[in-house]
Amino acid sequence: MTNYKKDALKIIGVFILTLILVLTSENFFKFFTKETAVEITKSHVTSTDENTENSDNSKIEEENLSPYEKAKADFAENGMKGIWISYLEMQNMNFSSEESFKSDIDRILENCKNMGLNTLIVQVRAFGDAFYPSALFPYSHVITGRQGVAPNFDPLAVMVNSAHEKGLRFEAWINPYRVKMNGVPAILAESNPANDESLVLYTENGIFYNPASEKAQDLIVTGVEEVVKNYPVDGVHFDDYFYPTADLTLDRRDYVRAAVTISPEDWRRENVNNLIKKVYGKIKEINPEVTFGISPQGNNDNNYNIQFSDVGLWLAGGYADYIMPQLYWGFDYKTADGGHNYAFKNILNRWRSMEKDSTVKMYIGLGAYRIGDGDGGANSQEEWQTGDNLARMIAACKEEKRISGYCIYRYGSLFDNDGYADLKAAEVATITKENMT
């Protein structure tokens, strides 16, 4: 009986001890849960406050940015949204005074800004001449009607400063080789370095700096240096004018004199490559932030075999910051034999698929001059009469991860008075809408 009582007491003791432990654990759990919940709540509130504060600070910082800084931020985040302004637009501007010229350029800038663009590519040297005071090249004939006659102000300074004030990047568009083409300009200034026949090539339709001439190359590079050093441009841009003809007899004497073992075609490509590499190197030496881009033809076979420009090499890095092929065909474009190789999405895909270094961006050139008239294909031209074809092309570019933006050729094709006013206005409206999405 005594042993039974002892065992019973032991069992009761163990039960009471277990109960105490359970109750203690439950209270602790409740206490822990409560305290943890309080800490989590505090942490969440603190995190929310910090996020709100960071968001507010970002908004304040954005609001404090100048229009130009906002344009650069938009360019960095969303890529190029650009337009070309050529010497053809310049012909309609008033150069009689700085005030008159600024009024004209401000109107253009306002239209570009309202479209949601962030970049202007403006022709500053079209025919071996200049829209700025140069120690190398005469003033453009566009300014006064006669090459070499100076205005009483600096047009390039006005354009760059006004663009930045409005909130637009400014790239200086230079045609490196062209001096005279199809009778334009009518007369070269006496000071034009192209009067030195050792620097140029003569063709049936013009005068061009000789790509094989070291002196001509150095002149072109020094001309780029002059612009980058003297003006706060955001970039330098070359278009698709390289060798003026595929006729190899044009510079046969230079080829023989060079005494090289490569073919005349490869020699020509090497001459162009040398210039491109020198220009790129000089720009980066002066200011690594200034970009250098090239806009070759959309037909890359023509680039390689007629222009003698090796775009594939330039995409490999060390020659340019961007390549912008001119894809001026519509979605429905069809060649005379029924081929669709140059239909917009097909040619876009071909360029998109080209191998390129990660440091080289690819933008796409779009042809606004096709509005209304069409692209000359064997297809119906209805798409160029819809009022939204360029916007659809911009949207197609956005879908491609390897495409970083676009540029429209050219301003006058959207805003001049040469017909299709309603269509042009519709294209501007749809481009604007696409830029805002």
Side-chain angles (χ1 to χ4, degrees):
M1 192 65 181
T2 302
N3 290 335
Y4 174 78
K5 287 181 178 179
K6 287 181 179 180
D7 291 340
L9 289 172
K10 287 179 181 180
I11 292 171
I12 292 169
V14 170
F15 175 77
I16 292 171
L17 181 61
T18 302
L19 182 61
I20 291 170
L21 290 172
V22 169
L23 291 174
T24 303
S25 298
E26 185 177 353
N27 288 336
F28 175 77
F29 174 77
K30 287 180 180 178
F31 173 78
F32 177 79
T33 304
K34 180 179 179 182
E35 291 300 313
T36 303
V38 170
E39 290 302 318
I40 291 174
T41 301
K42 287 180 178 179
S43 174
H44 175 72
V45 170
T46 302
S47 176
T48 301
D49 289 343
E50 288 177 352
N51 289 337
T52 302
E53 184 178 349
N54 289 337
S55 177
D56 291 342
N57 287 339
S58 296
K59 289 179 180 178
I60 292 171
E61 288 175 3
E62 185 176 347
E63 290 173 358
N64 288 336
L65 292 177
S66 70
Y68 173 51
E69 289 169 332
K70 288 180 181 178
K72 290 198 294 182
D74 181 48
F75 176 79
E77 182 178 354
N78 301 309
M80 180 182 286
K81 293 181 281 188
I83 196 164
W84 276 286
I85 298 175
S86 74
Y87 78 92
L88 297 171
E89 279 84 5
M90 301 285 196
Q91 288 176 342
N92 297 318
M93 294 186 192
N94 187 342
F95 288 89
S96 63
S97 69
E98 181 172 343
E99 292 74 18
S100 297
F101 180 73
K102 190 175 188 315
S103 176
D104 284 347
I105 196 68
D106 281 348
R107 173 177 46 80
I108 290 175
L109 298 177
E110 196 67 31
N111 286 335
C112 294
K113 186 64 180 174
N114 288 341
M115 283 178 66
L117 304 180
N118 58 29
T119 300
L120 305 177
I121 298 181
V122 182
Q123 200 157 32
V124 303
R125 196 159 78 242
F127 294 96
D129 50 16
F131 282 91
Y132 54 91
S134 170
L136 304 168
F137 302 99
Y139 265 109
S140 171
H141 71 280
V142 172
I143 298 174
T144 63
R146 186 179 181 86
Q147 191 180 81
V149 178
N152 57 10
F153 65 99
D154 183 343
L156 179 53
V158 172
M159 290 191 289
V160 176
N161 294 335
S162 296
H164 288 173
E165 287 171 5
K166 291 287 186 182
L168 292 159
R169 297 176 65 256
F170 187 102
E171 296 198 10
W173 171 12
I174 293 171
N175 190 294
Y177 296 124
R178 185 175 63 189
V179 176
K180 183 174 184 174
M181 188 171 178
N182 298 325
V184 179
I187 301 173
L188 299 186
E190 290 184 8
S191 62
N192 196 318
N195 288 317
D196 180 351
E197 295 187 356
S198 69
L199 299 180
V200 299
L201 296 172
Y202 295 89
T203 70
E204 289 182 359
N205 68 337
I207 304 171
F208 303 85
Y209 281 112
N210 186 352
S213 166
E214 288 283 347
K215 286 180 64 177
Q217 286 186 24
D218 290 343
L219 175 67
I220 294 165
V221 173
T222 306
V224 171
E225 178 182 8
E226 184 178 51
V227 171
V228 176
K229 279 187 173 180
N230 294 337
Y231 299 91
V233 297
D234 299 283
V236 172
H237 179 88
F238 282 5
D239 56 19
D240 60 321
Y241 283 91
F242 293 101
Y243 265 90
T245 175
D247 181 4
L248 297 177
T249 64
L250 179 67
D251 53 355
R252 177 69 181 175
R253 183 179 300 176
D254 292 316
Y255 173 69
V256 172
R257 189 181 297 122
V260 295
T261 57
I262 57 178
S263 69
E265 294 87 351
D266 285 339
W267 171 75
R268 279 189 168 191
R269 280 184 280 270
E270 189 174 85
N271 292 333
V272 175
N273 290 337
N274 287 340
L275 173 68
I276 298 302
K277 197 169 188 66
K278 287 178 182 178
V279 169
Y280 179 78
K282 179 56 68 175
I283 291 171
K284 297 308 172 183
E285 175 189 315
I286 300 167
N287 185 350
E289 298 301 313
V290 173
T291 61
F292 176 48
I294 306 168
S295 181
Q297 293 183 15
N299 184 333
N300 204 29
D301 291 334
N302 284 353
N303 290 326
Y304 194 77
N305 297 310
I306 297 177
Q307 296 279 315
F308 301 97
S309 48
D310 192 349
V311 180
L313 177 65
W314 303 344
L315 284 168
Y319 287 85
D321 294 298
Y322 70 81
I323 298 296
M324 184 157 59
Q326 301 167 14
L327 307 190
Y328 295 161
W329 303 281
F331 291 96
D332 302 328
Y333 182 82
K334 185 168 60 176
T335 55
D337 61 1
H340 293 274
N341 287 345
Y342 292 94
F344 184 75
K345 281 201 171 180
N346 293 339
I347 193 66
L348 176 67
N349 184 61
R350 192 183 309 172
W351 278 95
R352 177 197 63 80
S353 301
M354 289 183 68
E355 292 185 13
K356 71 179 186 68
D357 188 82
S358 60
T359 61
V360 184
K361 295 187 180 298
M362 184 174 289
Y363 308 131
I364 300 299
L366 305 175
Y369 70 99
R370 302 293 202 183
I371 295 170
D373 290 328
D375 51 30
N379 48 287
S380 165
Q381 302 301 311
E382 290 180 4
E383 67 176 296
W384 292 104
Q385 297 165 2
T386 60
D388 68 350
N389 215 35
L390 294 174
R392 290 171 55 218
M393 291 176 173
I394 293 169
C397 290
K398 285 182 180 179
E399 293 173 0
E400 302 290 349
K401 292 182 179 179
R402 300 185 84 215
I403 304 300
S404 302
Y406 70 90
C407 192
I408 297 170
Y409 182 81
R410 56 186 173 84
Y411 175 88
S413 297
L414 290 176
F415 292 99
D416 64 19
N417 298 313
D418 293 342
Y420 303 113
D422 291 342
L423 273 180
K424 292 173 182 177
E427 289 280 0
V428 168
T430 52
I431 291 169
T432 303
K433 183 178 179 180
E434 185 61 39
N435 282 337
M436 300 307 176
T437 60

